[in-house]
Amino acid sequence: MSKFAQYNIPLKDATGVHVLEYDLDESYFKKIDSPEVKKGLVKAKVVVEKKTTAFELQFMLDGFVKIPCDRCLDDMDQPIQYKDKLMVKLGDRFSEENEVVIVPESEGAINVAWFLYEFIVLSIPIKHVHAPGECNKTMASKLKKHVVRQSDDSSNDSDLELDDEDDFSSDEVSTDPRWDGLQNILDNN
């Protein structure tokens, strides 16, 4: 018996609409063994509906995963909410074409364990950081010491806010005079 046998959805003799629910917890993420997400609790609901020539699988995910904060590297809870559809057809061999997954008719079932994980990872934003003031104070203070800004930098300071008490609004930033000559390279282009 496969470690993901509970995520097999039989399609061969399916008719009508079927609703399947899964609790994706720490044991699920341990079985997947992927570096992006190690822990979490996500409720997954899969609605399987037989259409005339295919099966429509609707995925609804709701919960959270624990991932490292990009700023302080401490674990944080990242909310997960995701909805998507997947069309599945029976065929000769397994393949994915455009938006359709083809499952061998001899097997007659699809395993959705990896699809669930992919949908979770897709719902994680590129930048994931703690809410303001919740980052590790020690790491935030060390990061603040190493942040370098030019005096003409017009970027948004909200991306650099590490804590409520941090102040990056200083207009005067000292630069190493050895690097000042490199600014002329940008002006010459």
Side-chain angles (χ1 to χ4, degrees):
M1 186 168 178
S2 163
K3 63 182 176 179
F4 296 116
Q6 72 187 63
Y7 302 101
N8 282 338
I9 299 176
L11 300 174
K12 201 169 193 175
D13 298 324
T15 58
V17 177
H18 298 280
V19 178
L20 302 148
E21 294 185 1
Y22 303 102
D23 289 330
L24 309 177
D25 56 9
E26 191 171 335
S27 64
Y28 167 80
F29 292 109
K30 196 175 280 189
K31 288 177 190 175
I32 288 287
D33 192 31
S34 183
E36 286 91 8
V37 179
K38 300 281 186 191
K39 296 178 183 177
L41 181 58
V42 178
K43 301 266 185 199
K45 183 177 179 182
V46 182
V47 178
V48 181
E49 183 177 357
K50 176 149 173 58
K51 302 285 185 176
T52 54
T53 61
F55 297 90
E56 181 181 88
L57 278 64
Q58 295 179 24
F59 294 87
M60 290 153 271
L61 306 173
D62 187 32
F64 72 93
V65 292
K66 287 201 175 287
I67 54 176
C69 172
D70 286 341
R71 189 178 295 137
C72 71
L73 302 178
D74 279 357
D75 280 347
M76 61 173 277
D77 290 344
Q78 176 64 52
I80 300 293
Q81 286 191 323
Y82 192 80
K83 284 186 178 183
D84 203 357
K85 293 181 183 179
L86 183 68
M87 296 301 292
V88 179
K89 290 185 177 183
L90 297 175
D92 296 333
R93 58 184 162 75
F94 184 84
S95 67
E96 291 185 40
E97 300 172 1
N98 300 328
E99 299 294 318
V100 178
V101 175
I102 298 175
V103 176
E105 194 166 355
S106 60
E107 290 181 20
I110 184 169
N111 190 299
V112 295
W114 191 252
F115 289 106
L116 291 168
Y117 182 76
E118 285 180 347
F119 293 147
I120 289 170
V121 171
L122 286 173
S123 65
I124 296 173
I126 292 173
K127 181 180 178 182
H128 38 278
V129 295
H130 282 108
E134 291 184 17
C135 274
N136 180 321
K137 302 287 185 198
T138 306
M139 183 63 84
S141 65
K142 288 182 181 190
L143 181 60
K144 182 180 174 184
K145 290 178 187 177
H146 297 287
V147 171
V148 177
R149 292 191 44 220
Q150 296 178 358
S151 59
D152 63 339
D153 190 3
S154 61
S155 66
N156 186 358
D157 285 347
S158 65
D159 289 344
L160 297 174
E161 289 180 18
L162 301 176
D163 292 320
D164 295 335
E165 58 211 34
D166 291 337
D167 183 20
F168 287 105
S169 61
S170 172
D171 289 335
E172 195 172 313
V173 176
S174 63
T175 61
D176 188 338
R178 295 175 291 179
W179 297 103
D180 290 341
L182 293 175
Q183 289 297 330
N184 296 335
I185 292 174
L186 295 174
D187 295 337
N188 290 336
N189 287 332

